[in-house]
Amino acid sequence: MGNPPTIAIAYHSGRGHTEVLAQSVRAGAESAGAEVTMVTVEAMDDTKWEALDAADAIIFGSPTYMGSASGQFHSFAQTTNKRWGRQAWKDKLGSGFTIGACKAGDKDNTLGYFATLGAQHGMIWVSLGLLPGWHLSHESENDLNRLGYFNGAAGTLMGDLPAADVHKADIATAEHLGERVTRMTAIHLAGRAALAAT
């Protein structure tokens, strides 16, 4: 058996809500056997860049502000251009997560932005891999993927509530994302190793 998958979670958290989801993604990834590095993107240094370059998968995270990722995350994304130019992240796996105050709030734009950023880097995108919860009358707001997003994990919390109130279903959905990315990364690495051995 090979080394455990290495996952980097590259994220910005404005008021702590995204931090809750980031730690939940981390918990899910670690429960599935990954080695996880947390990278806060607003103050990048050589150590953080090296962690992203070395990771087998990168999971992007940001609050959704005004229909997209935060300005701090966009600034980070723009500084990845040197990695883009030399295809440093090509064939890494990627995914993303976000949270916003409105139940819809155009969070799909943020997840789509993450997927496009990954595609520009030549990354392989990992979807949430869940059917929607809470979309039939017998279902509950406590279901996984209760908001019905697919490009990654999404949560919602009223803007005047503290991070401690992030919904348990959104936390569990973020944990699922971490687990799924880890499993898909392990499969990808095993396939690459098998091809190399032929």
Side-chain angles (χ1 to χ4, degrees):
M1 188 165 181
N3 295 326
T6 56
I7 309 290
I9 301 174
Y11 70 102
H12 167 248
S13 184
R15 296 191 301 115
H17 304 87
T18 309
E19 178 72 32
V20 171
L21 292 190
Q23 293 299 333
S24 302
V25 172
R26 177 184 191 167
E30 288 179 341
S31 74
E35 293 181 357
V36 180
T37 301
M38 307 297 281
V39 176
T40 51
V41 301
E42 56 268 32
M44 294 298 293
D45 57 26
D46 289 344
T47 301
K48 290 180 178 181
W49 285 118
E50 288 165 7
L52 295 178
D53 292 346
D56 298 315
I58 302 173
I59 305 175
F60 301 124
S62 168
T64 293
Y65 292 154
M66 303 305 293
S68 188
S70 65
Q72 291 90 334
F73 190 92
H74 278 273
S75 292
F76 155 75
Q78 289 173 18
T79 62
T80 67
N81 63 331
K82 291 180 181 177
R83 269 82 190 156
W84 171 80
R86 65 175 191 268
Q87 297 192 305
W89 296 353
K90 185 177 180 180
D91 295 335
K92 292 182 187 293
L93 275 70
S95 196
F97 61 94
T98 189
I99 189 168
C102 297
K103 283 188 173 62
D106 296 318
K107 289 188 281 289
D108 53 331
N109 288 347
T110 302
L111 294 175
Y113 169 69
F114 292 156
T116 298
L117 175 64
Q120 289 192 346
H121 279 281
M123 297 169 73
I124 301 165
W125 201 250
V126 179
S127 68
L128 184 59
L130 287 173
L131 292 171
W134 201 25
H135 76 300
L136 297 173
S137 62
H138 66 274
E139 295 178 336
S140 160
E141 68 173 319
N142 297 311
D143 294 338
L144 289 177
N145 197 21
R146 69 190 183 114
L147 302 178
Y149 287 88
F150 302 98
N151 253 349
T156 188
L157 181 68
M158 293 176 181
D160 59 346
L161 293 179
D165 288 349
V166 172
H167 200 285
K168 287 181 172 54
D170 297 339
I171 289 171
T173 301
E175 290 175 352
H176 169 86
L177 180 70
E179 293 169 4
R180 177 168 164 79
V181 171
T182 300
R183 289 195 308 271
M184 294 300 103
T185 304
I187 291 168
H188 180 72
L189 294 174
R192 181 185 292 171
L195 286 173
T198 59

